[in-house]
């Protein structure tokens, strides 16, 4: 059998493997997926995980539950040597090993783009994985618990200050959901007043949500500001050392929670540790049919899709246009990729990837949203319903759809769950300390290891 190796189990990788499983004939080929995580993260649900509107587990789709005939390797690809049709894999346990392939599919995705800003790596959370969304939620809930026991002053003010850097969809949606959660928490914390909350959204460009046009973007800014938030446009984060935020517009303040969503960067495996062709951004050079290469020179039996690939956007009508890195494209590229690989194996012609946008929709918190399709703009509650409807249909498998819908239905009657589980980060603390409140946290952490 031919060995089809898929590097990365995100949107594009999962849908490629899923599609191949359904169509491959017995003995025709074996599919292997290599990914350090045993699940695919449905990233559009991460802002709702932050707000507690979606359970963290329900935003993750188990690879083993849905890929029954695919070999799954828990580990990371550290090097791609296509000249030898070999990759090096670093498993979760044990030494590195090499794996040979006949057909390679690179869907490793992108990584969070960061800069050498003082304090950023020590203080900030990303918003790309389920673990990060859960940590952000627990941090905010814990901050409320701590602030409620403190007198008004600098320490309490810091705990109730939140900063999100990045005005793209991930940043704006996460910011809106955090703001909505914090506002909802006030009724459970009579010790804290609404005027004590300080929410800052920082964007380096002169506008937010670049996927929508200017006027809807301006409406989002006004909507957030009416809810008490501060939106800093044309502003960059200069420093976050020890939680003290310094912005390029001259403003300084202490922030107890810092979330970084300022864009994506090319995957280091693709642009630093492979012999495959990449463009000036470090993304794989991909043809319209998702083969790696150019129209005049193709790399045999190598395919790519998703955020690590520079895919021509044939629907845009411009020769230099490339698809934007979002879930809408990654899912559909994965489905097309599976069909094209099968066609190639069976000696049939492949088809180009063409997808006309269905519009863009974003949640801005519970009951708030915005949708735009060309000149059609829908705001507020109807857009929020459209956001939920679209994504509950888009999340893979009926099992996940049912679980997400059940949580939404429960929350409609009983509200969001406001329990913080930050203690799970040190699950052995209570056991090791023996309930002794005088035992230092540092000593407990060392023993709990």
């Amino acid at each position: 059998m031919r060995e089809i190796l898929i590097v990365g189990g995100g949107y594009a990788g999962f849908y490629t493997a899923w599609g191949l499983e359904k169509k491959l004939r017995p003995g025709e080929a074996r599919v292997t997926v290599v990914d350090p995580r045993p699940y695919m993260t449905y990233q559009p649900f991460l802002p709702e995980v932050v707000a507690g509107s979606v359970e963290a587990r329900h935003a993750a789709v188990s690879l083993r539950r849905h890929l029954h005939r695919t070999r799954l390797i828990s580990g990371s690809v550290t090097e791609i040597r296509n000249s030898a049709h070999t990759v090096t894999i670093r498993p979760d346990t044990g030494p590195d090993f090499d794996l040979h392939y006949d057909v390679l599919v690179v869907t490793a995705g992108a990584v969070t783009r960061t800069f050498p800003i003082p304090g950023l790596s020590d203080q900030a959370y990303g918003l790309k994985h389920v673990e990060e969304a859960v940590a952000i939620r627990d941090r905010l809930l814990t901050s409320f618990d701590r602030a409620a026991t403190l007198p008004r002053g600098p320490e309490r003010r810091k705990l109730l200050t939140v900063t999100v850097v990045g005005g793209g969809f991930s940043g704006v949606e996460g910011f809106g959901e955090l703001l909505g959660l914090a506002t909802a928490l006030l009724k459970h914390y009579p010790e804290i007043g609404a005027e004590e909350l300080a929410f800052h959204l920082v964007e380096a460009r002169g506008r937010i949500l670049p996927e929508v046009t200017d006027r809807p973007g301006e409406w989002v800014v006004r909507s957030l500001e009416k809810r008490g938030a501060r939106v800093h446009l044309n502003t960059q984060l200069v420093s976050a050392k020890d939680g003290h935020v310094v912005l390029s517009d001259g403003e300084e303040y202490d922030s107890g929670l810092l979330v970084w969503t300022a864009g994506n960067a090319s995957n280091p495996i693709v642009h630093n540790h492979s012999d495959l062709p990449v463009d000036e951004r470090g993304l794989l050079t991909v043809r319209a049919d998702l083969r790696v290469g150019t129209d005049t020179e193709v790399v045999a039996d190598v395919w790519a899709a998703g955020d690590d690939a520079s895919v021509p956007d044939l629907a845009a009508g411009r020769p230099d246009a490339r698809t934007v890195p979002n879930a809408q494209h990654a899912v559909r590229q994965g489905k097309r990729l599976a069909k094209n690989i099968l066609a190639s194996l069976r000696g049939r012609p492949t088809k180009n990837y063409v997808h006309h946008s269905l519009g863009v929709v974003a949640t801005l918190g519970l009951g708030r949203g915005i949708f735009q399709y060309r000149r059609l703009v829908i705001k507020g509650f109807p857009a929020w319903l459209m956001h939920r409807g679209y994504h509950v249909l888009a999340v893979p498998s009926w099992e996940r759809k049912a679980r997400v819908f059940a949580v939404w239905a429960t929350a409609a009657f009983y509200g969001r769950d406001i329990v913080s589980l930050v203690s799970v980060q040190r699950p052995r603390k209570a056991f090791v300390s023996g309930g002794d409140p005088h035992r230092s946290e540092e000593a407990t952490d060392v023993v709990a290891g």
Side-chain angles (χ1 to χ4, degrees):
M1 289 192 296
R2 304 196 76 186
E3 181 73 40
I4 302 174
L5 176 62
I6 301 175
V7 179
Y11 290 113
F14 173 81
Y15 276 95
T16 300
W18 210 17
L20 288 171
E21 274 200 359
K22 296 174 183 177
K23 299 295 183 180
L24 280 172
R25 301 167 185 150
E28 187 173 15
R30 180 171 69 169
V31 180
T32 299
V33 173
V34 182
D35 196 283
R37 290 178 171 81
Y39 54 82
M40 182 206 82
T41 301
Y42 190 71
Q43 291 182 350
F45 276 157
L46 292 187
E48 295 207 50
V49 172
V50 167
S53 300
V54 170
E55 288 289 335
R57 298 186 309 277
H58 301 164
V61 180
S62 170
L63 298 180
R64 291 191 178 275
R65 185 183 182 97
H66 300 287
L67 301 179
H68 305 292
R69 295 189 293 115
T70 297
R71 179 172 61 158
L72 299 172
I73 297 178
S74 180
S76 302
V77 171
T78 60
E79 187 179 4
I80 298 173
R81 299 182 301 280
N82 189 58
S83 58
H85 277 217
T86 304
V87 300
T88 299
I89 298 174
R90 180 165 296 160
D92 289 342
T93 57
D96 294 4
F97 64 92
D98 290 343
L99 185 66
H100 182 81
Y101 60 82
D102 298 298
V103 178
L104 178 66
V105 181
V106 186
T107 54
V111 298
T112 302
R113 180 181 60 186
T114 59
F115 300 97
I117 298 172
L120 180 64
S121 60
D122 297 326
Q123 301 292 326
Y125 294 88
L127 189 52
K128 205 171 184 63
H129 302 289
V130 172
E131 308 94 303
E132 295 170 322
V134 172
I136 292 169
R137 169 180 164 78
D138 287 342
R139 181 66 175 266
L140 181 67
L141 293 173
T142 303
S143 293
F144 266 74
D145 287 331
R146 293 175 178 173
T149 64
L150 293 173
R152 295 201 178 200
E155 188 175 354
R156 174 164 161 151
R157 188 161 51 248
K158 179 178 180 179
L159 288 170
L160 298 175
T161 300
V162 175
T163 303
V164 175
V165 182
F169 261 81
S170 179
V172 171
E173 289 190 318
F175 184 79
E177 291 287 357
L178 271 173
L179 180 58
L181 174 60
T183 304
L185 287 174
L186 290 174
K187 66 180 179 180
H188 302 288
Y189 292 84
E191 307 91 340
I192 300 174
E195 73 283 355
E196 295 185 79
L197 299 181
F199 275 71
H200 300 263
L201 177 63
V202 181
E203 169 54 44
R205 292 167 293 189
R207 51 165 299 177
I208 62 174
L209 296 178
E211 292 86 352
V212 303
T213 53
D214 290 344
R215 292 185 65 183
E218 292 167 358
W219 177 86
V220 173
V221 171
R222 293 195 301 271
S223 174
L224 293 173
E225 290 178 339
K226 286 181 181 178
R227 295 162 62 187
R230 289 280 307 280
V231 180
H232 305 261
L233 300 177
N234 295 309
T235 305
Q236 298 178 5
L237 178 67
V238 176
S239 175
K241 195 171 183 180
D242 299 324
H244 183 71
V245 171
V246 180
L247 303 179
S248 62
D249 63 3
E251 187 162 352
E252 297 185 28
Y253 56 88
D254 290 332
S255 182
L257 176 57
L258 175 62
V259 182
W260 179 271
T261 65
N264 296 324
S266 57
N267 198 305
I269 301 304
V270 170
H271 70 84
N272 288 341
H273 305 288
S274 82
D275 55 358
L276 298 172
V278 296
D279 65 7
E280 65 281 357
R281 296 178 296 165
L283 302 177
L284 286 168
T285 304
V286 176
R287 299 175 4 145
D289 64 355
L290 304 179
R291 295 178 189 265
V292 173
T294 64
D295 290 336
T296 57
E297 186 176 354
V298 64
V299 181
D301 296 321
V302 181
W303 309 75
D307 292 355
D308 62 5
S310 179
V311 180
D313 188 355
L314 300 185
R318 303 191 313 272
D320 60 339
R322 295 293 182 268
T323 58
V324 297
N326 62 22
Q328 193 176 133
H329 281 298
V331 168
R332 287 163 177 78
Q333 287 171 8
K335 293 178 179 179
R336 170 47 53 196
L337 193 49
K339 294 176 182 178
N340 280 355
I341 292 173
L342 285 167
S344 177
L345 289 174
R346 296 167 184 174
R348 298 201 301 262
T350 60
K351 293 183 179 180
N352 290 339
Y353 171 75
V354 183
H355 172 63
H356 296 274
S357 175
L358 303 176
V360 292
V361 62
T363 174
L364 304 174
L366 194 63
R368 300 177 173 91
I370 186 166
F371 168 83
Q372 181 174 16
Y373 176 68
R374 297 181 181 175
R375 294 186 179 181
L376 174 65
V377 178
I378 300 175
K379 307 170 185 174
F381 186 74
W384 176 77
L385 284 179
M386 294 173 68
H387 177 274
R388 284 205 160 183
Y390 173 79
H391 286 298
V392 78
L393 292 174
V395 67
S397 83
W398 286 104
E399 171 258 341
R400 273 297 178 262
K401 300 179 200 299
R403 291 182 187 273
V404 170
F405 187 79
V407 172
W408 285 343
T410 304
F413 289 99
Y414 301 106
R416 287 181 282 206
D417 196 329
I418 62 169
V419 175
S420 169
L421 295 178
V422 69
S423 57
V424 301
Q425 297 173 21
R426 296 193 302 275
R428 297 183 63 237
K429 179 181 179 181
F431 172 74
V432 174
S433 67
D436 184 355
H438 297 288
R439 187 164 187 176
S440 71
E441 184 174 328
E442 291 79 7
T444 302
D445 288 342
V446 170
V447 177

